[in-house]
Amino acid sequence: AQSVTQPDIHITVSEGASLELRCNYSYGATPYLFWYVQSPGQGLQLLLKYFSGDTLVQGIKGFEAEFKRSQSSFNLRKPSVHWSDAAEYFCADRKMGGGGADGLTFGKGTHLIIQP
Amino acid sequence: DTEVTQTPKHLVMGMTNKKSLKCEQHMGHRAMYWYKQKAKKPPELMFVYSYEKLSINESVPSRFSPECPNSSLLNLHLHALQPEDSALYLCASSQESTVGRGVKTQYFGPGTRLLVL
């Protein structure tokens, strides 16, 4: 079964510093990878996705991610974080099922703390 | 417009109550999903509807009963829940894939926070 691993439960970054959140996937075939962000008590907002093509993906809010098949990774990056980026970040892969609609399987999440 | 709406925002119910959660989207999506998210945990897939038919049931207890009355609406009927069912229930929708097992982006609603007493 597919799985997604986010090795870092918490990350603390100073405001204005760069950020990298790690994500590793386990599925052998080409994965369909997503990064979502969740503020406390809220739903999930899509930051970016990778299905195929260019391995460097640009997303919203200044985020980008790079798909590296050799490392089974899809790490999320931002050159300069803002206090409003403090949230929970989830990496996700498709969870294959029936028909033409697949659900998502999520990593355990990384809690991002921004220091002033 | 990529909005998925969910009602109610909060729900408190006793173990003998019957209640329903509602989800609505007007993006023309033909796939809709229910996820359950416990505190400080990732969302877990419960059900997938594709063209108003249940296509995935992740072995969810029968006290949760999904319903898709039309392509825009998705309900989750709750009956005889347990306190451990307290969680944030998230609805999502996506375009149906028309080619093989391709994946479309899922758009999430804000969730219904459920407390079972």
Side-chain angles (χ1 to χ4, degrees):
Chain A
Q2 314 95 298
S3 70
V4 175
T5 304
Q6 293 180 248
D8 305 305
I9 298 174
H10 300 277
I11 282 191
T12 300
V13 178
S14 298
E15 190 170 14
S18 63
L19 170 70
E20 184 170 34
L21 302 182
R22 296 185 290 166
C23 173
N24 294 97
Y25 66 92
S26 68
Y27 190 54
T30 300
Y32 294 82
L33 297 166
F34 304 81
W35 275 101
Y36 283 89
V37 61
Q38 186 178 35
S39 296
Q42 302 296 313
L44 281 77
Q45 182 181 24
L46 178 70
L47 290 175
L48 45 78
K49 61 190 178 186
Y50 174 77
F51 291 173
S52 64
D54 192 347
T55 56
L56 184 62
V57 180
Q58 300 298 318
I60 64 170
K61 302 185 178 185
F63 286 94
E64 66 177 27
E66 187 170 11
F67 174 70
K68 293 185 178 180
R69 184 182 295 278
S70 61
Q71 299 176 18
S72 297
S73 69
F74 187 57
N75 294 347
L76 182 71
R77 301 193 294 247
K78 187 171 185 178
S80 176
V81 297
H82 186 263
W83 64 267
S84 60
D85 293 323
E88 193 79 19
Y89 290 79
F90 292 101
C91 183
D93 189 5
R94 66 173 168 173
K95 184 181 179 74
M96 291 184 66
D102 295 332
L104 294 175
T105 185
F106 288 86
K108 292 186 176 181
T110 297
H111 185 64
L112 177 62
I113 300 167
I114 306 296
Q115 283 184 336
Chain B
D1 182 11
T2 57
E3 186 177 25
V4 176
T5 59
Q6 291 187 243
T7 55
K9 290 186 178 180
H10 302 275
L11 180 62
V12 180
M13 61 186 292
M15 290 188 286
T16 58
N17 292 157
K18 287 184 180 181
K19 298 287 184 182
S20 296
L21 309 185
K22 298 184 183 299
C23 174
E24 188 168 5
Q25 57 88 14
H26 294 287
M27 295 178 278
H29 291 171
R30 302 308 297 270
M32 297 186 76
Y33 312 78
W34 280 114
Y35 290 83
K36 175 182 179 180
Q37 186 178 24
K38 300 282 283 183
K40 300 188 184 301
K41 298 290 186 182
E44 294 180 341
L45 184 67
M46 300 174 73
F47 303 104
V48 179
Y49 270 83
S50 176
Y51 287 92
E52 295 97 70
K53 292 185 179 179
L54 185 64
S55 66
I56 298 176
N57 178 340
E58 291 287 304
S59 301
V60 177
S62 60
R63 57 186 184 268
F64 295 91
S65 175
E67 178 197 19
C68 191
N70 61 55
S71 59
S72 300
L73 293 174
L74 183 66
N75 299 322
L76 186 62
H77 302 299
L78 315 173
H79 175 52
L81 293 193
Q82 303 297 309
E84 59 263 30
D85 296 322
S86 299
L88 181 68
Y89 288 84
L90 294 164
C91 173
S93 71
S94 70
Q95 294 176 349
E96 175 62 90
S97 171
T98 57
V99 179
R101 284 184 172 272
V103 175
K104 299 297 183 183
T105 299
Q106 293 183 27
Y107 296 92
F108 284 81
T112 293
R113 188 160 299 280
L114 174 67
L115 177 62
V116 182
L117 300 176

